[in-house]
Amino acid sequence: MAKLLFDVGGTYVKYALYENQQFTTGQFSVVDALGKEDMPGALVEFIKKYPKLEAIGFSIPGPFDYYNGISQMQHKLLSLYQVDLKALLGKIHPEAKIVFVHDAVSFMLGVLSDHPEFNNDLVCCVTIGTGLGYTLADHGRVVVNKSQLPYTEIYNIKYRDSINEDYVSATALVKFAHNVGYPQIKNVAEMADLAHKGDQKIANIFTFVGMELAEMLNKKQQDDHFNRIIFGGGVSRAWDLLKSGFETMCHIPYTIVTDALLTPIKGVLKVVEEGTDKVYRFM
């Protein structure tokens, strides 16, 4: 039977039907006809289209109860808050295995699925998007705590006058652009476009952030002893602009994941097929 896997992040949910070792992908909105977010309703209606499913899996951000399938998020996806998603979907497919995976963990597991050569090493995955995500994998198993969250973080480590995430993230990049006289800039893509067109002030911001990232990861390696860094997230698409600053100060081998559409989906599939005891290292 088929497995239905979801990557839940915002108003659109990405999905993949995995059957006969092939993925069929797409996405759908969780906003109803009146413009109101209705994640539970959208999921129920979508899943009803598939009468026979062996498993249903989710890559989903926290805070979330990953054992019981209950969202604790109050900053987004409010329609999911305190909804018993496992019970709700279990009524439709009582025969299906239902799993929930932290989004940073699923991304790391997806990378390990695509790069089996990393399964024999200690590697970290750094996702640079709106925030700054971090996971560690030891010989093919992601290191998590008892709540199935990444065991160690990087975003909230004290750095300069604040924390790491305030210096390395999409939010930080846009803030730095505003600070040097570009109040009109809304996102990193606009900044990258200006830098590629020769705007030196914007290019210097990317170089600076690359150097800050290098300093953070040099310090983090002293604690976690990883041998390779995997970069993902939206900001990684502008790696050509961060690269010079980063490589000036950090010499740890790294890999960039830019085509990441299926990466978290593959991570969820790994949990579905192998089970948490085989893919997680609980700490």
Side-chain angles (χ1 to χ4, degrees):
M1 285 194 292
K3 302 176 180 73
L4 190 57
L5 311 166
F6 298 95
D7 180 11
V8 177
T11 56
Y12 281 87
V13 173
K14 298 170 187 172
Y15 72 89
L17 183 71
Y18 185 71
E19 193 171 22
N20 299 322
Q21 298 187 318
Q22 291 188 333
F23 292 100
T24 302
T25 62
Q27 66 177 24
F28 59 90
S29 174
V30 299
V31 177
D32 65 20
L34 298 176
K36 183 180 178 181
E37 177 206 305
D38 182 14
M39 176 73 76
L43 287 171
V44 166
E45 288 306 307
F46 187 81
I47 288 172
K48 281 181 177 177
K49 298 176 183 179
Y50 301 90
K52 293 184 179 181
L53 290 172
E54 178 184 351
I56 303 169
F58 293 85
S59 168
I60 192 165
F64 196 93
D65 181 342
Y66 292 96
Y67 284 100
N68 298 306
I70 300 173
S71 173
Q72 298 162 347
M73 283 180 275
Q74 297 188 65
H75 64 295
K76 63 176 180 177
L77 302 178
L78 294 180
S79 64
L80 266 186
Y81 181 64
Q82 295 291 7
V83 173
D84 190 335
L85 203 52
K86 180 176 281 189
L88 183 67
L89 303 182
K91 291 178 182 177
I92 304 168
H93 285 289
E95 78 289 352
K97 179 180 182 180
I98 302 176
V99 302
F100 301 88
V101 185
H102 186 279
D103 55 351
V105 172
S106 65
F107 190 88
M108 170 63 102
L109 288 169
V111 169
L112 295 174
S113 180
D114 284 336
H115 296 273
E117 67 273 19
F118 299 155
N119 284 297
N120 296 314
D121 211 340
L122 185 61
V123 300
C124 75
C125 184
V126 179
T127 48
I128 312 171
T130 305
L132 184 63
Y134 177 89
T135 48
L136 189 69
D138 186 0
H139 289 77
R141 295 166 67 187
V142 178
V143 184
V144 298
N145 63 22
K146 292 179 180 179
S147 298
Q148 299 185 9
L149 303 174
Y151 177 69
T152 178
E153 296 278 11
I154 195 172
Y155 80 95
N156 57 354
I157 293 175
K158 183 173 173 55
Y159 188 75
R160 299 192 187 278
D161 60 346
S162 187
I163 58 173
N164 284 340
E165 191 170 82
D166 288 338
Y167 283 86
V168 176
S169 64
T171 304
L173 279 158
V174 171
K175 179 190 71 176
F176 294 147
H178 292 173
N179 290 346
V180 297
Y182 295 80
Q184 77 282 7
I185 284 180
K186 299 182 180 66
N187 53 54
V188 174
E190 292 179 2
M191 291 180 65
D193 185 55
L194 287 173
H196 287 137
K197 289 177 178 176
D199 190 309
Q200 197 56 51
K201 286 171 74 174
I202 295 295
N204 288 344
I205 291 173
F206 281 103
T207 301
F208 167 74
V209 170
M211 293 173 71
E212 299 289 85
L213 177 62
E215 185 170 339
M216 293 172 191
L217 291 175
N218 282 336
K219 290 179 180 177
K220 190 64 171 167
Q221 190 194 35
Q222 294 174 19
D223 295 326
D224 292 348
H225 310 293
F226 49 81
N227 300 309
R228 176 172 290 274
I229 305 163
I230 299 152
F231 288 113
V235 176
S236 66
R237 299 189 192 102
W239 184 257
D240 61 315
L241 298 166
L242 297 165
K243 180 179 179 179
S244 62
F246 181 81
E247 292 186 350
T248 297
M249 297 183 61
C250 183
H251 306 293
I252 305 166
Y254 67 83
T255 299
I256 307 294
V257 178
T258 53
D259 184 15
L261 176 64
L262 273 174
T263 304
I265 293 287
K266 289 179 179 177
V268 176
L269 179 63
K270 199 171 177 69
V271 177
V272 166
E273 293 189 334
E274 299 183 34
T276 56
D277 288 344
K278 288 188 177 180
V279 302
Y280 292 165
R281 172 154 291 162
F282 289 97
M283 298 292 287

